[in-house]
mmCIF file of all heavy atoms in Angstrom:
data_model
loop_
_atom_site.group_PDB
_atom_site.id
_atom_site.type_symbol
_atom_site.label_atom_id
_atom_site.label_comp_id
_atom_site.label_asym_id
_atom_site.label_seq_id
_atom_site.Cartn_x
_atom_site.Cartn_y
_atom_site.Cartn_z
ATOM 1 N N THR A 5 -4.473 28.782 -47.819
ATOM 2 C CA THR A 5 -4.914 27.429 -47.461
ATOM 3 C C THR A 5 -3.868 26.715 -46.646
ATOM 4 O O THR A 5 -4.153 26.036 -45.661
ATOM 5 C CB THR A 5 -5.242 26.635 -48.742
ATOM 6 O OG1 THR A 5 -6.213 27.359 -49.481
ATOM 7 C CG2 THR A 5 -5.736 25.258 -48.405
ATOM 8 N N THR A 6 -2.641 26.868 -47.086
ATOM 9 C CA THR A 6 -1.555 26.199 -46.363
ATOM 10 C C THR A 6 -1.443 26.740 -44.951
ATOM 11 O O THR A 6 -1.253 26.003 -43.984
ATOM 12 C CB THR A 6 -0.225 26.404 -47.118
ATOM 13 O OG1 THR A 6 -0.390 25.917 -48.433
ATOM 14 C CG2 THR A 6 0.903 25.691 -46.434
ATOM 15 N N SER A 7 -1.572 28.057 -44.802
ATOM 16 C CA SER A 7 -1.472 28.656 -43.473
ATOM 17 C C SER A 7 -2.586 28.165 -42.570
ATOM 18 O O SER A 7 -2.371 27.852 -41.404
ATOM 19 C CB SER A 7 -1.541 30.184 -43.587
ATOM 20 O OG SER A 7 -0.459 30.663 -44.367
ATOM 21 N N GLY A 8 -3.784 28.038 -43.080
ATOM 22 C CA GLY A 8 -4.907 27.517 -42.279
ATOM 23 C C GLY A 8 -4.663 26.103 -41.841
ATOM 24 O O GLY A 8 -4.954 25.700 -40.727
ATOM 25 N N ALA A 9 -4.120 25.305 -42.728
ATOM 26 C CA ALA A 9 -3.839 23.912 -42.367
ATOM 27 C C ALA A 9 -2.798 23.845 -41.273
ATOM 28 O O ALA A 9 -2.888 23.053 -40.331
ATOM 29 C CB ALA A 9 -3.386 23.151 -43.617
ATOM 30 N N ASP A 10 -1.762 24.713 -41.434
ATOM 31 C CA ASP A 10 -0.725 24.711 -40.408
ATOM 32 C C ASP A 10 -1.294 25.128 -39.062
ATOM 33 O O ASP A 10 -0.952 24.555 -38.018
ATOM 34 C CB ASP A 10 0.393 25.673 -40.813
ATOM 35 C CG ASP A 10 1.161 25.156 -42.036
ATOM 36 O OD1 ASP A 10 1.038 23.938 -42.274
ATOM 37 O OD2 ASP A 10 1.854 25.958 -42.693
ATOM 38 N N ALA A 11 -2.159 26.142 -39.096
ATOM 39 C CA ALA A 11 -2.761 26.590 -37.822
ATOM 40 C C ALA A 11 -3.612 25.503 -37.213
ATOM 41 O O ALA A 11 -3.606 25.279 -36.003
ATOM 42 C CB ALA A 11 -3.616 27.845 -38.081
ATOM 43 N N SER A 12 -4.363 24.794 -38.084
ATOM 44 C CA SER A 12 -5.210 23.697 -37.567
ATOM 45 C C SER A 12 -4.357 22.602 -36.984
ATOM 46 O O SER A 12 -4.638 22.048 -35.923
ATOM 47 C CB SER A 12 -6.094 23.153 -38.697
ATOM 48 O OG SER A 12 -6.844 22.061 -38.266
ATOM 49 N N ASN A 13 -3.264 22.250 -37.682
ATOM 50 C CA ASN A 13 -2.388 21.192 -37.178
ATOM 51 C C ASN A 13 -1.732 21.624 -35.877
ATOM 52 O O ASN A 13 -1.586 20.832 -34.941
ATOM 53 C CB ASN A 13 -1.315 20.855 -38.221
ATOM 54 C CG ASN A 13 -1.904 20.197 -39.454
ATOM 55 O OD1 ASN A 13 -2.991 19.593 -39.357
ATOM 56 N ND2 ASN A 13 -1.233 20.302 -40.597
ATOM 57 N N GLY A 14 -1.319 22.921 -35.824
ATOM 58 C CA GLY A 14 -0.695 23.395 -34.596
ATOM 59 C C GLY A 14 -1.661 23.369 -33.419
ATOM 60 O O GLY A 14 -1.299 23.019 -32.303
ATOM 61 N N SER A 15 -2.917 23.737 -33.698
ATOM 62 C CA SER A 15 -3.916 23.708 -32.635
ATOM 63 C C SER A 15 -4.180 22.294 -32.154
ATOM 64 O O SER A 15 -4.294 22.028 -30.974
ATOM 65 C CB SER A 15 -5.216 24.332 -33.145
ATOM 66 O OG SER A 15 -6.239 24.235 -32.176
ATOM 67 N N SER A 16 -4.248 21.322 -33.104
ATOM 68 C CA SER A 16 -4.463 19.928 -32.712
ATOM 69 C C SER A 16 -3.304 19.417 -31.882
ATOM 70 O O SER A 16 -3.477 18.688 -30.888
ATOM 71 C CB SER A 16 -4.656 19.059 -33.962
ATOM 72 O OG SER A 16 -5.783 19.504 -34.693
ATOM 73 N N ALA A 17 -2.080 19.785 -32.309
ATOM 74 C CA ALA A 17 -0.914 19.331 -31.552
ATOM 75 C C ALA A 17 -0.924 19.911 -30.143
ATOM 76 O O ALA A 17 -0.589 19.235 -29.165
ATOM 77 C CB ALA A 17 0.367 19.749 -32.298
ATOM 78 N N HIS A 18 -1.324 21.192 -30.045
ATOM 79 C CA HIS A 18 -1.387 21.815 -28.727
ATOM 80 C C HIS A 18 -2.423 21.132 -27.836
ATOM 81 O O HIS A 18 -2.182 20.887 -26.657
ATOM 82 C CB HIS A 18 -1.740 23.291 -28.896
ATOM 83 C CG HIS A 18 -1.961 23.996 -27.579
ATOM 84 N ND1 HIS A 18 -0.915 24.328 -26.741
ATOM 85 C CD2 HIS A 18 -3.097 24.410 -26.970
ATOM 86 C CE1 HIS A 18 -1.392 24.916 -25.665
ATOM 87 N NE2 HIS A 18 -2.724 24.979 -25.783
ATOM 88 N N ASN A 19 -3.589 20.791 -28.426
ATOM 89 C CA ASN A 19 -4.621 20.103 -27.657
ATOM 90 C C ASN A 19 -4.153 18.737 -27.206
ATOM 91 O O ASN A 19 -4.432 18.303 -26.091
ATOM 92 C CB ASN A 19 -5.904 19.970 -28.484
ATOM 93 C CG ASN A 19 -6.583 21.321 -28.680
ATOM 94 O OD1 ASN A 19 -6.386 22.230 -27.874
ATOM 95 N ND2 ASN A 19 -7.344 21.450 -29.753
ATOM 96 N N ARG A 20 -3.451 18.018 -28.103
ATOM 97 C CA ARG A 20 -2.948 16.698 -27.711
ATOM 98 C C ARG A 20 -1.967 16.826 -26.560
ATOM 99 O O ARG A 20 -1.991 16.048 -25.603
ATOM 100 C CB ARG A 20 -2.288 16.010 -28.907
ATOM 101 C CG ARG A 20 -3.260 15.486 -29.953
ATOM 102 C CD ARG A 20 -2.564 14.483 -30.875
ATOM 103 N NE ARG A 20 -1.443 15.103 -31.578
ATOM 104 C CZ ARG A 20 -1.575 15.712 -32.753
ATOM 105 N NH1 ARG A 20 -2.781 15.826 -33.313
ATOM 106 N NH2 ARG A 20 -0.526 16.241 -33.351
ATOM 107 N N GLN A 21 -1.110 17.826 -26.631
ATOM 108 C CA GLN A 21 -0.132 18.019 -25.571
ATOM 109 C C GLN A 21 -0.842 18.364 -24.252
ATOM 110 O O GLN A 21 -0.470 17.886 -23.194
ATOM 111 C CB GLN A 21 0.823 19.143 -25.954
ATOM 112 C CG GLN A 21 1.924 19.415 -24.919
ATOM 113 C CD GLN A 21 2.865 20.513 -25.355
ATOM 114 O OE1 GLN A 21 2.659 21.092 -26.414
ATOM 115 N NE2 GLN A 21 3.871 20.764 -24.561
ATOM 116 N N HIS A 22 -1.878 19.193 -24.310
ATOM 117 C CA HIS A 22 -2.611 19.563 -23.108
ATOM 118 C C HIS A 22 -3.343 18.359 -22.516
ATOM 119 O O HIS A 22 -3.339 18.147 -21.307
ATOM 120 C CB HIS A 22 -3.610 20.659 -23.457
ATOM 121 C CG HIS A 22 -4.498 21.022 -22.309
ATOM 122 N ND1 HIS A 22 -4.047 21.744 -21.232
ATOM 123 C CD2 HIS A 22 -5.798 20.739 -22.077
ATOM 124 C CE1 HIS A 22 -5.027 21.899 -20.383
ATOM 125 N NE2 HIS A 22 -6.106 21.303 -20.856
#
Side-chain angles (χ1 to χ4, degrees):
T5 304
T6 303
S7 299
D10 292 341
S12 176
N13 292 336
S15 176
S16 300
H18 174 74
N19 290 335
R20 286 196 300 271
Q21 181 179 2
H22 175 73

